[in-house]
Amino acid sequence: MKPIDRVTEISAKISSMEIRGAGRIATAAAKALRDFSQTEEAKSLEDFNQRMELAADILLKTRPTAVSLSNAIRMVMKYRKDDLAAARESVIINANRFIENSEKALEKIGQIGSKRIRDGDVILTHCNSLAALSVISAAHKLGKSIKVIATESRPRFQGITTIGMLDQMGVETELIVDSAARSVMNEVDLVVVGADVITASGTLVNKIGTAQIALFAHEARTSFMVAAETYKFSPQTILGELVTIEEREPGEVLADHSRYSHVRVRNPAFDVTPHQYIDLICTEVGAIPPEMSYLIIKERLGWEIEE
Ligand code: RUB
């Protein structure tokens, strides 16, 4: 297999969601670029740069919403461009730094976020987020008695992955269909979800269904927390760019959709939760109000307007 085919193979796994979740796809992309940089056979720096750009481009096109992917790729691609050996070495350093930092970030988010969970709390989560699960797991490890209500997260049922993980941790868990979220909200003390994108204004883009859960939480006066590594914040939104919402195959929603000639089955994968419905964003550098997102982008992602 040619080195670039390996990149294509990983890209296909990301597109088909065999590898999924904003953090996991970012790490997979960083690893793919790192491994590619060691196996491709460029003879000149220019050739190397071109091959790396091609690989980065293939990975970037896999899923349009998650900014974690472009942030991870941008961080890895900031390698030294003065000589071929140094460039290869620097790709490894950048990729490993990204992977290591994201692991540490998850742990830190757990430590910080778990302080917001009280003994006896009922937590609702949506989809399958490692950052949200880190908060829940840390609270459980601290010995807090908690119960988690997990939504199924139609159409891809990531909630089943979530209940599997909670079961492994030994956390008391209930599974509900997505449309039961309002019915149970009065029993819930805190909603914890992950993020695919957080914009400069603190708006959250996450798995479809998140926005209505945030509205229900707001109406029921239930706290709504987002758990997100700082690389889920989008520098591009400072420049006014809108987040692209991925629309996936109708077959994920209804297998035999083509037998209806006048019906279009729609499958938007993410939705937008305004910052007014978010109480707190728990990152590895602290628990912040959504209005502080701009500062995270400026300070943590080193984003320059000229870039
Ligand atoms: C996953 C999803 C998750 C975020 C955060 O969507 O919306 O809440 O990606 O996950 P999909 P994590 O299943 O379509 O990728 O905290 O693990 O990065």
Side-chain angles (χ1 to χ4, degrees), residues 17 19-25 63 66 106 126-132 156 158 193-196 205-208 210 227-229 231-232 246 248 269-270:
M17 291 175 60
I19 302 173
R20 50 146 299 281
R24 282 157 278 187
I25 62 180
R63 293 203 71 189
L106 271 183
H126 183 55
C127 194
N128 174 258
S129 155
L130 289 190
R156 295 292 298 249
Q158 290 93 330
V193 294
D196 270 81
V205 179
N206 192 49
K207 180 52 54 196
I208 193 80
T210 303
E229 302 88 328
Y231 66 82
K232 311 270 177 70
E246 176 182 10
R248 296 185 60 87
F270 300 98

Side-chain angles (χ1 to χ4, degrees), residues 118-172:
R118 294 158 307 180
D119 200 40
D121 270 357
V122 176
I123 301 153
L124 185 139
T125 192
H126 183 55
C127 194
N128 174 258
S129 155
L130 289 190
L133 283 164
S134 176
V135 171
I136 293 166
S137 151
H140 177 66
K141 281 188 190 145
L142 285 171
K144 296 184 187 185
S145 155
I146 52 172
K147 181 174 86 177
V148 177
I149 302 179
T151 57
E152 282 179 318
S153 312
R154 279 270 295 152
R156 295 292 298 249
F157 295 101
Q158 290 93 330
I160 306 304
T161 306
T162 297
I163 62 165
M165 290 177 169
L166 291 165
D167 192 49
Q168 287 281 313
M169 291 175 207
V171 174
E172 185 188 344

Side-chain angles (χ1 to χ4, degrees), residues 21 23 40 51 89 96 118 127 131 199 229 239 242 247 268 290 298:
E40 54 65 49
R51 287 171 195 235
E89 184 59 28
N96 286 347
R118 294 158 307 180
C127 194
T199 73
E229 302 88 328
L239 300 178
L242 296 171
E247 286 242 9
K298 290 292 276 183

Side-chain angles (χ1 to χ4, degrees), residues 123-264:
I123 301 153
L124 185 139
T125 192
H126 183 55
C127 194
N128 174 258
S129 155
L130 289 190
L133 283 164
S134 176
V135 171
I136 293 166
S137 151
H140 177 66
K141 281 188 190 145
L142 285 171
K144 296 184 187 185
S145 155
I146 52 172
K147 181 174 86 177
V148 177
I149 302 179
T151 57
E152 282 179 318
S153 312
R154 279 270 295 152
R156 295 292 298 249
F157 295 101
Q158 290 93 330
I160 306 304
T161 306
T162 297
I163 62 165
M165 290 177 169
L166 291 165
D167 192 49
Q168 287 281 313
M169 291 175 207
V171 174
E172 185 188 344
T173 302
E174 288 173 359
L175 176 71
I176 56 166
V177 295
D178 297 339
S179 44
R182 181 63 189 96
S183 293
V184 300
M185 194 54 81
N186 290 344
E187 303 165 24
V188 175
D189 299 290
L190 176 70
V191 175
V192 186
V193 294
D196 270 81
V197 187
I198 297 168
T199 73
S201 60
T203 297
L204 166 71
V205 179
N206 192 49
K207 180 52 54 196
I208 193 80
T210 303
Q212 63 190 21
I213 292 173
L215 270 171
F216 299 154
H218 187 73
E219 186 207 7
R221 305 281 184 273
T222 301
S223 298
F224 186 93
M225 187 210 279
V226 179
E229 302 88 328
T230 49
Y231 66 82
K232 311 270 177 70
F233 289 69
S234 168
Q236 292 87 339
T237 58
I238 290 192
L239 300 178
E241 257 184 55
L242 296 171
V243 176
T244 307
I245 302 291
E246 176 182 10
E247 286 242 9
R248 296 185 60 87
E249 285 294 301
E252 290 184 350
V253 176
L254 188 65
D256 60 350
H257 63 98
S258 50
R259 61 185 271 230
Y260 304 98
S261 46
H262 298 100
V263 178
R264 179 157 77 101

